[in-house]
Amino acid sequence: MKKKLIIIGLLFSYISIKAQEKTTIKNDTINLAESVITSSYGTTAKKEDVVGSMSIITENEIITAQPFESIDKMISGLVPGVQIVNNSELGKPVDINIRGLGSMVSITSTPGISNQPLIIIDGVYVREDRAFNANFFNGGTNAEMNINPLARLSTDNVKSITVLKDAAAVALYGADAANGVILITTKKGQKGKPKFSYSSQYGVSTSINKIKYLNGEQYAQLRNDYNINNGSSTGYSWNGVDVDWFDVMNRNSDYFKTNFGMSGGSNHITYRLGVDYSKNNESKIYNYLEKKGIDLNLGYTAYKFKANLYAAYNNFYKNSPNTYFNFILAPTFDIYDENGNFRNTGTNGIANPLAAATQNKIYTKNNSLISSLNLEYQVHKDIKISSLFGIDYSYKSNNSWQSPLNESASSVAGRSRISKSEGTKWNWSAHALYNKDFRNHHVDALLGLELRSTKDLKSNHIGTGYGKSTIAMKPWEGTSYTLRTLTLEEAGRSTFAQLNYNYKSKYFFTGSIRRDESSSFGKDRAVATNGGAGFAWLISNENFLKNNSIIQLLKLRASWGITGNSRIGSYRSAGLYNVYQNGFTYGYDYSYPDTSSPPNKKLSWVKNEKFNIGLDLNLSGRVDFTLELYRNNISDMIISRDVPLETGYSSAEINGASMYNQGVEASIKVYWFKNKNFKWNTLFNISTVKNRVTSLIGFGDDYSTAALARAQKVGVSTSAIWGYEWMGVNPENGLDRYKVNGEILDSDKFTPTDNTYSIIGNSQPDAIGGFMNSIQLGNFSFSALFNYQIGGDVLITPELIDQYRILTNRNMSVNALNYWTGSNDTNAQNHIATSKNRIVANSSKYLYDNTYIKLQNVNLAYQLPIKKGTSFIDGASIFADISNVWYWYKEKSPKGQNGIREFNYIYPEMRTYSMGFRVNF
């Protein structure tokens, strides 16, 4: 903690000195009087008047040339306190953690409470596409693919992103604001003649930081020793075949994106239309993501009346037959047989990857509409009423055909699966806003009512038995067919109010209260009242600083409040039932309770008590500095706990845990130069989070399976990784050694149990942040975006390192070669190559420090020198862009072997080189 404070202090001193050096420059860079959006209910405030903790990113700070399918991936490192946990799989959900996790890490495979923030696009509560707590809908192998909701939004249509963090900022949203709120504002039309824009971009991608696998000769050497150590008299001889299956299943790929925009308006009507298309061919052969979208913004103003309509349609299509990209066959296994046909592996469920990618058909289609209508009427000069209706509709179909011609489904004569999902989420609210200045006082108030509803209809069709069919078949056309359906309906209503007051623009107060009702809970627990309050002192408006030319803003802020989380999943309070329709002649379906999900009418809201202290400083209009200290006490968390077997259930979900997140955030933005021909600004932020579980109800501590390496235990972090400290290989017998209750034991001298586990790591980083430099020199502009992480551990699957059992049909990494070869072998990193060893999956041997610095993007653009009036073109630019440019890891990979750099992504990230142009006319 002392080191963190010292670093922050040095930063503060540094920017103060720089500000003093630049007092002669005109202070026109950072506009403190600019109005910013503080909620989706129509409330705004000047930047200097904001009491809550919020971070704002404008369209000028977002590098939309990055070849990512969603805006969240583009802003990684730009917002203090926000961790974007990237996913190298295109289109799949990305975890966004604001100030740490909002609930305990699950120790089961059951989908838990949502950790994601509430995302609002132009007033629309965005539907979160997440797994359900039910078989075949829980994100497993036979379930549908969940889609990142922000992948349905055109990245070129975003005007600003506001992240709300503390109670003063989020309390207005009550029950859904526990994990923070993200407000996304789209671009609107402006009064004036029609304006058009067109942009196009093309790039090529290549895999980076690929895992090094064994070649044919190395594999044969290892396989030979493995067979001999297992008692084989023949060993294994290399057949001369050397197939690099990663190269077979992957390629260099390309990326294309184009966007057209039109906007304009008159005295009464404004409009903006955007059309976009993108296609991202993944490096995995045959896999690609294609998106088409159209968005419309219409505004109308007449006398005291305003209306705005926003509508965005998106078509999402992901083709992904290459599902074995991370399943590397033995290099001695040839692709084709002597007749030129795909060679079979001889193992059910393990197909020739190229055969499966060629013969199987797997794709996901999603059509969605996000739309809102906002009406506003100025009743009086001080009073305004408004109403907003928003809807997020999505229809998705997952289709999977596993051909009987390859071993992905040859044992069942082919498998066909179709998962359909229709989701509708709508919200309606009505509000009255009062705004009044009198003498030295300012008051504005908000009073509102809100209704909301979510409905998901899901079906899962699975069929098998199609003979030797060479074409894709429907599930119901097979000899065996099963249909499963699931419906989730949630509804809620709320009333809320907010009061903002300031005296002489020096002393500020904001207070919010909200009463929520939700159908997710039992009748006795359906209501929750949340609220928050914040205070601010604008010291720079005091007489002793009012005329200071250096300190233009100095503000202290403090807030406290309680928010909730009602996104607890599917029918957790009502319990789940299994319904069967086959084999009964009765006039009703046969059903019985799911033994893992009993009803609990006392299940209640998760509560998040938030404290925040903030300091805002602006020096000479060129330096913005913010420092925040926060603590979130999260209580009544819903967890699964063991219950007595006499109840008929194995476990139950209860409000049974509490924990806290606390930390520090610091951010700085500096405009070093702002001249006509030279501009340079820098953005830097850093944030920390510390987590501890403070209470548990139930039968004491609880642990996950060894492979998950998680636990529920008081006094430690919920993201702690549990297991055994690896102490190397015993040079005498080639067995792994571990520290067990302080004693060093060979792997065959103990049986892994919960009561001998200890903490070996933590997946939560100690600090995260970002750094961005933007330079403009004449017509050239350059930007570089970095993000970084300090601490945070990753537990790698041991299969590629020393689980030699998989050698019979799979390849391993080159790390597997460093195995014990005989007595007194003191250099071995792996145990003896045999199937007889006990594998301890949750050991520090497979733990890696994920401290890194990443140069996420570099962009260079040139503005063509077009004189006004000489062409119908108002402006044009060309640009070059590189994403995932460079990585630095604290923990280095051993020479010739793999480390965290390679193991961090089993399917590696892509580096994309692209060029493009933009034209305005």
Side-chain angles (χ1 to χ4, degrees), residues 175-190:
D176 288 325
N179 302 324
V181 179
I182 297 179
L183 304 176
I184 298 178
T185 304
T186 62
K187 296 176 182 178
K188 309 292 191 297
Q190 303 294 325

Side-chain angles (χ1 to χ4, degrees), residues 416-572:
S416 179
R417 176 180 60 81
I418 297 178
S419 295
K420 295 183 179 181
S421 173
E422 183 178 12
T424 305
K425 186 183 184 76
W426 62 261
N427 58 282
W428 172 82
S429 58
H431 351 90
L433 293 94
Y434 174 77
N435 194 312
K436 179 71 173 178
D437 289 300
F438 51 99
R439 296 185 181 179
N440 296 320
H441 306 272
H442 169 83
V443 175
D444 63 79
L446 169 70
L447 186 64
L449 166 70
E450 183 173 84
L451 304 176
R452 58 194 176 277
S453 174
T454 301
K455 186 173 184 178
D456 284 286
L457 303 174
K458 293 180 180 286
S459 63
N460 182 281
H461 308 253
I462 296 181
T464 57
Y466 303 94
K468 293 292 183 181
S469 176
T470 58
I471 61 173
M473 305 291 285
K474 302 299 184 184
W476 43 86
E477 295 174 333
T479 58
S480 174
Y481 168 61
T482 303
L483 167 64
R484 297 173 178 86
T485 61
L486 188 146
T487 301
L488 169 67
E489 293 186 77
E490 296 175 332
R493 59 187 177 190
S494 307
T495 53
F496 53 88
Q498 184 180 71
L499 174 67
N500 297 296
Y501 168 80
N502 79 69
Y503 175 68
K504 289 187 175 181
S505 293
K506 298 179 184 178
Y507 314 109
F508 297 82
F509 167 80
T510 183
S512 303
I513 189 169
R514 179 170 175 131
R515 183 183 185 273
D516 291 301
E517 296 180 62
S518 173
S519 64
S520 297
F521 306 97
K523 293 182 179 180
D524 295 338
R525 310 284 177 164
V527 178
T529 301
N530 298 292
F535 303 86
W537 177 23
L538 193 55
I539 305 172
S540 51
N541 276 358
E542 296 288 357
N543 292 334
F544 57 86
L545 280 179
K546 201 164 189 177
N547 297 319
N548 191 293
S549 60
I550 297 176
I551 301 177
Q552 296 199 356
L553 175 73
L554 178 60
K555 179 170 64 177
L556 289 175
R557 295 179 282 108
S559 67
W560 170 88
I562 297 176
T563 58
N565 189 350
S566 64
R567 290 176 290 166
I568 66 171
S570 50
Y571 300 114
R572 288 180 183 265

Side-chain angles (χ1 to χ4, degrees), residues 351-401:
N352 179 324
L354 187 59
T358 304
Q359 297 165 347
N360 296 350
K361 295 184 182 299
I362 302 174
Y363 58 89
T364 300
K365 296 189 295 185
N366 188 82
N367 289 287
S368 66
L369 175 68
I370 299 176
S371 182
S372 64
L373 177 63
N374 195 352
L375 306 176
E376 179 182 305
Y377 184 74
Q378 194 77 38
V379 179
H380 181 269
K381 66 177 182 177
D382 301 326
I383 301 175
K384 178 172 62 178
I385 58 174
S386 61
S387 178
L388 184 146
F389 178 80
I391 187 169
D392 181 357
Y393 172 81
S394 179
Y395 181 80
K396 179 174 61 177
S397 176
N398 275 137
N399 294 59
S400 173
W401 164 252

